Amino acid sequence: MKSAVNHLVAAYCVFGAYLVAAVPVADQASHTSQCRKTKVAILGAGVAGITAAQALVNASVTDFIIVERNDYIGGRVKHAAFGKKPDGSPYTVELGANWVQGLGTPGGPENPIWTLAKKHAVQNTYSDYDSILTFDEQGAADFGSLFDEMDAAYTIAEQDAGYVLTENLQDTSIRAAFSVAGWKPKKDMHAQAIEWWTWDWETAWPPEQSGFLYGITGYNLTFYQWSDENNFVIDQRGFNAFIIGEANGFLKKNDRRLMLNTMVESIAYGPRGVHVTLEGGGCIEAEHAIVTFSIGVLQNDVVEFEPQLPRWKREAIEQFQMGTYTKVFFQFNETFWDPDTQYFLYADANTRGYYPVWQSLTGPGFHEGSNIIFATVVGAQSYRIEEQPDEITKAEGLDVLRAMFPDKDIPEPVAFMYPRWSTEPWAFGSYSNWPVGMTLEKHQNLRANVGRLWFAGEGTSAQYYGFLQGAWYEGRDVAQRIAGLLKGPDERIRCDNDTTIGCGPMAAYEVLHGTTFIDEYSVSNGWPVSSFLDYGYEE
């Protein structure tokens, strides 16, 4: 954590404005009755899809079609208009991805998302996690010392994760790892709030349901490899300006290779290629297809696969987790909280994760003077509020604010809004998380292609799942593999950390064995009776 404010203001420029204004658009209307042929069908125009297209172009493969259900480029990097500025125009706030997480170090490696954010002048501000005040149902409450206790236990858990990885030890849950490290919040709601801030806020899942080893490595690979800085995007073009900017580097205005407002209904695949059926009767025939759908979409069978995906693939999809992260925005006619504090942590007396983190956008470097503050909920609380009317959620949030600031006369907000990620049929959640029991090999089955059908997205990244950089790396990786296959043996230069153009198909594990052999189900291991006895079973 860093206490000094490091504020990057990337000024707007004519070129930056052009990038957003010149979004290349070709929607479904002109293609519904056609069956178009292409080398590569890219299904989804989020970070993974656009990066895949760019990697194909870099490899001199320009025959592709990008299909996107929504009317914009960006996927879960989505913004909305909210509230009013002094001039009456709305603010732009991010509903989905909002931070560049892990920037880079001088002379060392740099997060590719940070590289692109700088390239496209994305306006952002350093998130100072030391700028925080703590509260409970009685108002201001000083339990900040628990941060140090949590950090100490987390450090021990990190060291234990290193042993699990290097010694090939059995994995466990984050809850078990924290407990062994001495952190047991139990019914201490202050400690529960600290733990939520440390774990749930990042992963959108509780420690009990999060895998230990890959939970720790997933964090370390971003924040230790690059830096521990998190920069909050406030760009009024929207965070997806960098994705649009990259797309404009290889797509012309009204480029027929980009189909927005186009829904995929089914995907048929075989040894000769892939046939994508679109809503409205159109279709695409491709030599290869890249599926960049979220884990949530794959789990909810939104798109039919013909034939059904193999069992090893379906098991991996179903085992991985899709988390939901919901931001609840309030704009008031005044700022009744400390405008110089970025975060306010609330510990509810009865419910863990009940409107726990409030983030001010009215202070220096953000939307100054906006009187905007937003709460974040995840997991079960996200599912709950996303199923209920706005008015109930607004009333609950106001009750929490009035408990936190009992000496303030808190008015009704002048603007209120929140997304419903768990019910969006093109997302079914916000981002992925590594569950208990998921092995690296099982996750590789999530990544692996099935013949000419490929998969890419943040969820398929073993090292950066849940992060934008995961989607970037996976989109590039898959596209380079396909380019190598399309261009033939002469183009298979190498397969290493710099390029996968010569790697070919991905590894997959049709059979994954456990750690217990049949003869170990014995008295010595507490298993004296066969589990196959059926004396009491009646058909």
Side-chain angles (χ1 to χ4, degrees):
M1 302 288 181
K2 298 192 177 183
S3 58
V5 175
N6 174 17
H7 180 210
L8 172 70
V9 179
Y12 289 103
C13 58
V14 174
F15 180 64
Y18 168 77
L19 287 176
V20 178
V23 178
V25 175
D27 66 25
Q28 180 188 14
S30 59
H31 306 302
T32 53
S33 61
Q34 300 180 19
C35 196
R36 301 172 61 188
K37 293 187 177 182
T38 189
K39 292 287 187 183
V40 185
I42 302 172
L43 308 182
V47 172
I50 296 301
T51 303
Q54 186 176 53
L56 288 173
V57 171
N58 291 344
S60 300
V61 177
T62 58
D63 184 3
F64 56 81
I65 297 173
I66 305 170
V67 181
E68 171 56 48
R69 175 174 177 147
N70 293 309
D71 62 357
Y72 65 92
I73 287 174
R76 285 169 276 159
V77 186
K78 181 181 181 181
H79 59 267
F82 177 69
K84 288 184 179 180
K85 299 177 182 177
D87 64 4
S89 63
Y91 289 94
T92 296
V93 296
E94 300 297 329
L95 303 179
N98 213 146
W99 280 267
V100 181
Q101 297 186 277
L103 308 185
T105 53
E110 185 170 274
N111 183 342
I113 303 302
W114 180 234
T115 303
L116 295 174
K118 292 188 295 182
K119 174 182 176 181
H120 297 289
V122 174
Q123 196 173 17
N124 59 90
T125 299
Y126 174 68
S127 284
D128 182 3
Y129 295 125
D130 289 332
S131 178
I132 184 171
L133 297 173
T134 52
F135 300 79
D136 59 21
E137 73 282 357
Q138 301 298 320
D142 185 7
F143 54 90
S145 62
L146 291 172
F147 284 115
D148 292 336
E149 294 181 29
M150 178 77 255
D151 288 346
Y154 194 96
T155 298
I156 294 172
E158 285 182 319
Q159 295 170 346
D160 290 344
Y163 294 127
V164 171
L165 191 153
T166 58
E167 303 299 322
N168 191 26
L169 304 178
Q170 287 192 22
D171 199 7
T172 185
S173 68
I174 284 289
R175 167 62 65 222
F178 282 175
S179 295
V180 169
W183 175 262
K184 297 184 178 183
K186 302 298 182 182
K187 294 183 179 180
D188 182 343
M189 300 309 288
H190 288 168
Q192 290 282 7
I194 296 293
E195 181 182 82
W196 190 100
W197 164 274
T198 301
W199 188 259
D200 301 45
W201 192 31
E202 185 67 52
T203 65
W205 283 84
E208 291 82 1
Q209 295 173 278
S210 299
F212 170 44
L213 171 59
Y214 299 101
I216 296 296
T217 57
Y219 181 93
N220 289 1
L221 280 160
T222 283
F223 296 111
Y224 289 6
Q225 176 187 192
W226 293 317
S227 71
D228 64 355
E229 295 162 298
N230 284 271
N231 279 27
F232 186 88
V233 172
I234 57 171
D235 200 302
Q236 292 303 279
R237 298 170 298 170
F239 194 2
N240 67 335
F242 84 89
I243 311 172
I244 294 170
E246 290 299 287
N248 275 308
F250 56 85
L251 291 177
K252 297 174 292 186
K253 189 173 183 179
N254 296 320
D255 199 314
R256 294 184 78 250
R257 292 177 297 173
L258 174 64
M259 299 174 65
L260 300 179
N261 295 307
T262 305
M263 186 184 304
V264 175
E265 286 193 339
S266 64
I267 302 170
Y269 62 97
R272 293 188 175 183
V274 181
H275 183 96
V276 180
T277 300
L278 308 173
E279 185 181 55
C283 66
I284 298 171
E285 292 181 354
E287 294 185 27
H288 296 266
I290 304 174
V291 174
T292 70
F293 306 150
S294 73
I295 300 299
V297 167
L298 293 173
Q299 290 174 340
N300 280 275
D301 301 322
V302 176
V303 174
E304 180 183 1
F305 291 92
E306 302 172 6
Q308 185 182 49
L309 293 173
R311 183 184 179 94
W312 57 264
K313 186 74 173 181
R314 287 182 282 120
E315 284 185 352
I317 289 170
E318 298 298 341
Q319 186 169 346
F320 217 53
Q321 292 173 333
M322 190 68 177
T324 301
Y325 184 108
T326 313
K327 289 177 267 187
V328 185
F329 293 91
F330 293 76
Q331 184 183 36
F332 294 93
N333 56 14
E334 62 176 329
T335 297
F336 53 81
W337 58 92
D338 179 6
D340 295 321
T341 297
Q342 291 189 21
Y343 296 98
F344 305 83
L345 180 63
Y346 172 72
D348 187 76
N350 302 304
T351 304
R352 186 181 186 275
Y354 188 81
Y355 301 99
V357 170
W358 295 79
Q359 186 169 344
S360 173
L361 296 183
T362 199
F366 295 91
H367 304 312
E368 295 187 41
S370 65
N371 303 320
I372 295 176
I373 191 170
F374 71 92
T376 299
V377 297
V378 301
Q381 289 298 315
S382 285
Y383 306 147
R384 184 184 68 82
I385 73 165
E386 291 186 7
E387 291 288 345
Q388 70 187 18
D390 281 16
E391 289 302 313
I392 294 177
T393 302
K394 179 170 69 174
E396 291 175 350
L398 287 172
D399 285 344
V400 170
L401 286 172
R402 287 164 181 156
M404 292 168 64
F405 302 99
D407 58 336
K408 303 291 185 179
D409 183 14
I410 298 177
E412 288 289 311
V414 296
F416 176 79
M417 176 188 69
Y418 64 98
R420 287 171 165 79
W421 285 108
S422 64
T423 63
E424 285 283 5
W426 55 271
F428 283 115
S430 303
Y431 52 83
S432 63
N433 183 52
W434 199 290
V436 177
M438 191 83 174
T439 63
L440 184 62
E441 293 81 4
K442 179 68 74 69
H443 184 269
Q444 178 60 27
N445 282 350
L446 179 63
R447 297 185 71 229
N449 59 295
V450 182
R452 293 173 178 261
L453 187 63
W454 303 75
F455 297 80
E458 54 83 14
T460 65
S461 174
Q463 296 191 309
Y464 306 105
Y465 64 90
F467 292 101
L468 290 177
Q469 50 265 32
W472 188 89
Y473 279 116
E474 291 296 289
R476 185 188 68 166
D477 176 88
V478 164
Q480 288 179 341
R481 289 173 185 267
I482 293 173
L485 293 170
L486 287 173
K487 296 180 75 63
D490 291 342
E491 293 295 329
R492 298 185 182 187
I493 304 168
R494 63 184 188 276
C495 177
D496 56 27
N497 291 336
D498 295 322
T499 180
T500 57
I501 202 164
C503 288
M506 291 187 177
Y509 303 87
E510 293 190 16
V511 178
L512 286 172
H513 293 286
T515 60
T516 307
F517 293 95
I518 189 66
D519 61 353
E520 293 177 307
Y521 289 92
S522 62
V523 174
S524 60
N525 286 322
W527 200 272
V529 179
S530 170
S531 58
F532 295 102
L533 297 179
D534 60 357
Y535 300 120
Y537 176 73
E538 296 181 4
E539 293 188 7

